[in-house]
Amino acid sequence: MSYLEIKSLSAYYGKAQALSDISLSVEKGEIIAIVGANGAGKSTLLDSIMGLVRQTGQIDFDGSVISGKSTSNIVKSGIGYAPERFNLFPYMSVKDNLLVGAFTAKADTAANLSQVYSLFPRLAERETQETATQSGGERQMVSLGRALMTSPNLLLVDEPTIGLAPKVCQEIAVSLRRMRDDFGLTVVITEQNANFAMTLAERIYVLEAGKMQVEGTVEDLRKDNRLIEAYFGT
Ligand SMILES: Nc1ncnc2c1ncn2[C@@H]1O[C@H](COP(=O)(O)OP(=O)(O)OP(=O)(O)O)[C@@H](O)[C@H]1O
Ligand SMILES: [Mg+2]
């Protein structure tokens, strides 16, 4: 059994179906990317894993069924989530926003905080700054850091590079890779930026209008010219 396994997941907003019959599996220690355009269902897929959307199908994580559990129990089972809309507290400091993430944490808050500061030295330098006055990249770092404060083994990140300059995207890529290489996390990101996805991830899933279209290793996808043209531009 895979570390994270999604079987025949469908998701609904009222009567509207946003995802149909999605299957996906992630092995421990992988970095995978779910690539898709606006409205493809990327956020819905991550929200579904967190138990935030009405759904059918089954999701297993680390040997247990998590679909049907409450979001707080899903977090306790070891999944951290950095959502698309960060929802940081604008008039609270960087440090206090990070501590909000530690509210349900089982592990040592001080150790988690120093892990976050080692990944993002810029946050350590600015721990008293209000997030309202931070740049977009810095806020993304606070959002990622807050997710790490719950001591996750699997981290879900919705569009880590949205609206960020190429240099900042690279910084985020380096930190995501370090989370896996140095801290042993498994990482699932979503992206519209296929190039970023292909430089960071080992495997890619392509989501289109709520359906999973293609799945493969980055190596395999690079060899398929028609696929590259269809989904990734030239
Ligand atoms: N709260 C909601 N209520 C009703 N429909 C929704 C809701 N959230 C999303 N949808 C619909 O579900 C579909 C998938 O949306 P979703 O936000 O998951 O796409 P996405 O791939 O994350 O897009 P984006 O790149 O713009 O963030 C869209 O058709 C969207 O309009
Ligand atoms: Mg989205």
Side-chain angles (χ1 to χ4, degrees):
M1 192 195 274
S2 296
Y3 194 46
L4 174 72
E5 205 155 305
I6 299 180
K7 298 174 217 165
S8 297
L9 173 74
S10 294
Y12 304 86
Y13 296 108
K15 285 183 182 153
Q17 183 165 4
L19 295 177
S20 35
D21 199 23
I22 301 284
S23 293
L24 173 156
S25 56
V26 182
E27 304 305 325
K28 198 166 189 166
E30 271 192 309
I31 301 181
I32 75 140
I34 297 152
V35 174
N38 285 124
K42 303 181 296 297
S43 301
T44 303
L45 179 52
L46 298 189
D47 282 353
S48 299
I49 297 171
M50 299 310 294
L52 294 165
V53 186
R54 190 165 69 83
Q55 58 191 268
T56 59
Q58 185 173 318
I59 305 179
D60 299 341
F61 172 63
D62 203 10
S64 306
V65 180
I66 57 163
S67 39
K69 285 191 181 179
S70 68
T71 300
S72 64
N73 280 327
I74 292 171
V75 172
K76 281 183 196 142
S77 78
I79 306 185
Y81 187 23
E84 182 173 9
R85 294 171 196 83
F86 309 149
N87 295 324
L88 301 178
F89 291 99
Y91 303 114
M92 276 167 47
S93 68
V94 166
K95 184 176 178 185
D96 286 342
N97 270 279
L98 292 172
L99 291 176
V100 167
F103 183 64
T104 58
K106 43 191 185 294
D108 187 350
T109 300
N112 285 351
L113 199 59
S114 65
Q115 176 191 19
V116 170
Y117 287 159
S118 96
L119 280 163
F120 304 109
R122 206 180 313 183
L123 298 185
E125 289 158 20
R126 294 162 175 257
E127 71 171 5
T128 60
Q129 186 179 358
E130 290 180 353
T131 61
T133 60
Q134 288 192 295
S135 72
E138 288 161 358
R139 271 182 242 172
Q140 178 63 268
M141 291 171 196
V142 177
S143 169
L144 289 167
R146 183 183 54 188
L148 293 176
M149 294 299 287
T150 63
S151 317
N153 300 118
L154 168 67
L155 180 68
L156 310 178
V157 189
D158 200 2
E159 300 209 47
T161 66
I162 192 150
L164 303 184
K167 188 169 169 281
V168 186
C169 293
Q170 279 325 302
E171 282 181 54
I172 299 284
V174 167
S175 344
L176 289 170
R177 199 169 284 121
R178 275 195 66 200
M179 288 179 204
R180 194 270 304 275
D181 294 347
D182 300 351
F183 299 106
L185 279 115
T186 303
V187 178
V188 174
I189 66 161
T190 70
E191 264 302 331
Q192 291 191 50
N193 180 344
N195 282 321
F196 180 86
M198 289 178 91
T199 58
L200 178 68
E202 283 120 22
R203 270 191 318 121
I204 307 257
Y205 284 86
V206 179
L207 192 58
E208 200 182 7
K211 296 195 171 76
M212 206 55 97
Q213 297 294 353
V214 181
E215 178 271 318
T217 64
V218 168
E219 243 172 31
D220 288 344
L221 294 184
R222 279 193 205 283
K223 283 183 209 145
D224 191 334
N225 286 330
R226 272 183 322 168
L227 202 75
I228 297 275
E229 271 171 44
Y231 292 110
F232 303 105
T234 42

